[in-house]
């Protein structure tokens, strides 16, 4: 957790002027973690603003909700279309360009005169704000095998905190200024500020020196082939999809469960639950060192057990807010720890394909989350809270079955 500045043990030259393979790579984990938290926040901070912008722009709540949908769609497009570039592109130029484009799109969103302009700007900014999924494989490659899990864990913690706390910050800024546009201006300033520090913290390229540059079209066409070539990627992608599906089922249904009798809480309760699970998110960062020591398999299975325990607790005591908070914390802890372990595993497949395997892994994870959200709406509407949690438990069991079929060697 105090891992802020590392030096790779496997490198041999100055990092600032060469590729990763030649560098005595200083890993400025603090800068990469803050950059990941700031940029991932751009996806989630608009969510508390939807009702205010609906009133301001004169549209229905359902239409305003398309802003959140556009953000998720744009992020998925960015992962597919832009993240693979990190394997061959100049990292400093790539990150600088993405930061500049995101800042401009945030300013356009802040000045949007109508919802159509806001939707287009949201789609654009979420597509270019995929730096978290570029920084993670870069940091893992710089750190080397002995520290890969720790670095992935710390950066993953930054992403979790950025996505969680961004909602609280944007709501507070909006309340203080009386405008839904102010948080967009704050986000634009924070994103633009990274231009001064982030490119300097990165190597020129991620790939090995003298490596063959794969054409962009061939990189995209080769993504499915990575699944066939690497069993570790197939297992991690399936486990990641399952655990994120269970996570999405739980959180999507929790909003409705909290509002229904006998609890009857308002919409702010779900946001409060998010804040109350921050300690669990902090604890999940220790999955990184555990993965370095014991391997991704044991840590992933332990994490899935945490998710299952949280679901059982929420099902057994559905009307107890403390029990629901503890259950939600266990779900967050298990999901985050499982993601860290599986991501560390796939990022160990080779630095020349690190960005591409991360693309495949994250697309599978987000696909599982989208399917989980859809499943939650159907299950809760048709049956109710216990049956919805049973569906989440089914996803967790499927992930545990997939994880049990692979035995990783224990790291030296």
């Amino acid at each position: 957790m105090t891992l802020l500045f590392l030096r790779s043990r496997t490198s041999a030259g100055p990092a600032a002027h060469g590729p990763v393979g030649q560098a005595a790579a200083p890993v400025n984990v603090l800068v990469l973690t803050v950059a990941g938290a700031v940029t991932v926040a751009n996806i989630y901070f608009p969510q508390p603003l939807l009702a205010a912008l609906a009133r301001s722009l004169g549209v229905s709540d359902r239409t305003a909700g398309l802003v959140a949908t556009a953000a998720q769609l744009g992020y998925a497009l960015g992962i597919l279309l832009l993240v693979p570039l990190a394997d061959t592109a100049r990292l400093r130029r790539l990150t600088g360009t993405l930061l500049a484009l995101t800042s401009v799109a945030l300013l356009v969103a802040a000045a949007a005169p109508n919802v159509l302009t806001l939707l287009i700007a949201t789609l654009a900014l979420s597509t270019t704000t995929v730096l978290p999924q570029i920084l993670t494989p870069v940091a893992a490659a710089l750190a080397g095998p002995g520290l890969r899990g720790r670095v992935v864990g710390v950066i993953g913690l930054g992403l979790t905190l950025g996505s969680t706390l961004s909602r609280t910050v944007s709501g507070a800024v909006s309340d203080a200024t009386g405008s839904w546009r102010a948080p967009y201006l704050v986000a634009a300033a924070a994103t633009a500020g990274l231009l001064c520090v982030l490119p300097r913290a990165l190597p020129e390229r991620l790939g090995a020196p003298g490596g063959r540059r794969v054409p962009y079209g061939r990189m995209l066409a080769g993504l499915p082939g990575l699944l066939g070539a690497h069993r570790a990627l197939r297992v991690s992608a399936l486990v990641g999809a399952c655990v994120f599906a269970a996570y999405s089922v739980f959180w999507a249904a929790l909003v409705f469960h909290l509002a229904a009798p006998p609890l009857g809480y308002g919409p702010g309760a779900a946001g409060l639950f998010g804040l109350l699970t921050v300690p669990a998110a902090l604890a999940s960062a220790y999955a990184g060192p555990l993965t370095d020591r014991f391997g991704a398999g044991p840590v992933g299975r332990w994490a899935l057990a945490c998710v299952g325990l949280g679901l059982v607790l929420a099902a057994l005591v559905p009307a107890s807010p403390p029990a629901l908070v503890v259950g939600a914390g266990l779900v967050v802890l298990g999901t985050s720890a499982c993601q860290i372990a599986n991501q560390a595993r796939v990022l160990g497949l080779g630095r020349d394909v690190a960005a591409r395997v991360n693309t495949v892994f994250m697309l599978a994870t987000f696909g599982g989350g989208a399917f989980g959200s859809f499943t939650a709406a159907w299950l809760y509407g048709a049956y109710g809270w216990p049956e919805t949690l049973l569906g989440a438990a089914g996803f967790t069991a499927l992930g545990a079955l997939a994880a049990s079929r692979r035995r990783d060697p224990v790291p030296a």
Side-chain angles (χ1 to χ4, degrees):
M1 286 293 297
T2 58
L3 185 67
L4 297 180
F5 195 87
L6 301 175
R7 186 171 292 275
S8 172
R9 307 172 193 169
T10 59
S11 40
H17 304 291
V20 175
Q22 294 176 331
V27 189
N28 196 330
V29 182
L30 177 61
V31 170
L32 300 187
T33 301
V34 172
V38 169
T39 50
V40 81
N42 292 332
I43 305 299
Y44 298 100
F45 83 80
Q47 292 178 357
L49 312 174
L50 297 179
L53 69 87
R55 292 191 301 269
S56 174
L57 299 178
V59 297
S60 66
D61 290 345
R62 180 175 297 182
T63 300
L66 294 176
V67 174
T69 303
Q72 295 292 342
L73 177 60
Y75 197 59
L77 285 174
I79 290 175
L80 174 63
L81 299 177
L82 298 179
V83 171
L85 289 173
D87 281 336
T88 58
R90 295 180 180 272
L91 288 175
R92 296 175 183 175
R93 180 183 298 174
L94 177 62
T95 55
T97 301
L98 293 178
L99 287 171
L101 290 174
T102 303
S103 301
V104 171
L106 284 164
L107 292 175
V108 172
N114 52 59
V115 72
L116 179 60
T117 304
L118 181 59
L119 286 172
I120 294 173
T122 300
L123 186 66
L125 74 89
S126 57
T127 300
T128 57
T129 195
V130 290
L131 275 176
Q133 304 312 325
I134 292 176
L135 298 179
T136 302
V138 169
L142 290 172
L147 296 170
R148 182 180 298 118
R150 290 170 171 81
V151 169
V152 172
V154 173
I155 294 181
L157 172 62
L159 302 187
T160 301
L161 293 178
S163 60
T164 300
L165 299 179
S166 63
R167 301 178 178 95
T168 305
V169 173
S170 68
V173 171
S174 179
D175 287 344
T177 60
S179 171
W180 63 268
R181 301 178 189 272
Y184 281 90
L185 296 175
V186 172
T191 303
L194 293 175
L195 281 166
C196 301
V197 291
L198 180 58
R200 299 179 182 180
L202 297 174
E204 188 64 24
R205 293 186 184 275
L206 176 59
R212 185 169 58 91
R213 304 302 175 205
V214 182
Y216 177 70
R218 190 180 300 173
M219 276 198 305
L220 294 185
L223 292 178
L226 293 172
L227 282 170
H230 301 287
R231 186 172 185 270
L233 179 58
R234 295 196 299 273
V235 172
S236 294
L238 178 56
V239 175
C242 289
V243 72
F244 207 61
Y247 175 90
S248 297
V249 168
F250 176 83
W251 283 99
L254 180 64
V255 176
F256 301 107
H257 178 63
L258 292 175
L263 294 174
Y265 292 130
L272 179 60
F273 265 67
L275 287 177
L276 293 175
T277 59
V278 166
L282 293 171
S284 70
Y286 286 100
L290 292 175
T291 300
D292 288 333
R293 182 174 182 181
F294 299 108
V299 175
R301 290 188 286 273
W302 165 81
L304 286 165
C306 281
V307 175
L309 182 60
L311 295 173
V312 169
L313 181 61
L316 290 178
V317 199
S320 169
L324 291 174
V325 169
V326 174
L330 288 170
V331 170
V332 168
L333 172 62
T335 302
S336 299
C338 190
Q339 168 116 345
I340 289 169
N342 281 287
Q343 199 167 21
R345 175 197 280 153
V346 301
L347 292 176
L349 294 175
R351 64 181 57 180
D352 290 337
V353 294
R356 278 169 281 173
V357 296
N358 191 54
T359 295
V360 175
F361 174 73
M362 292 307 302
L363 284 175
T365 299
F366 272 88
F371 185 71
S373 298
F374 172 80
T375 303
W378 175 71
L379 283 177
Y380 191 87
Y383 300 102
W385 177 248
E387 291 78 6
T388 302
L389 293 184
L390 184 62
F395 285 121
T396 306
L398 180 60
L401 179 63
S404 68
R405 297 180 64 84
R406 177 176 177 85
R407 291 290 186 268
D408 293 325
V410 176

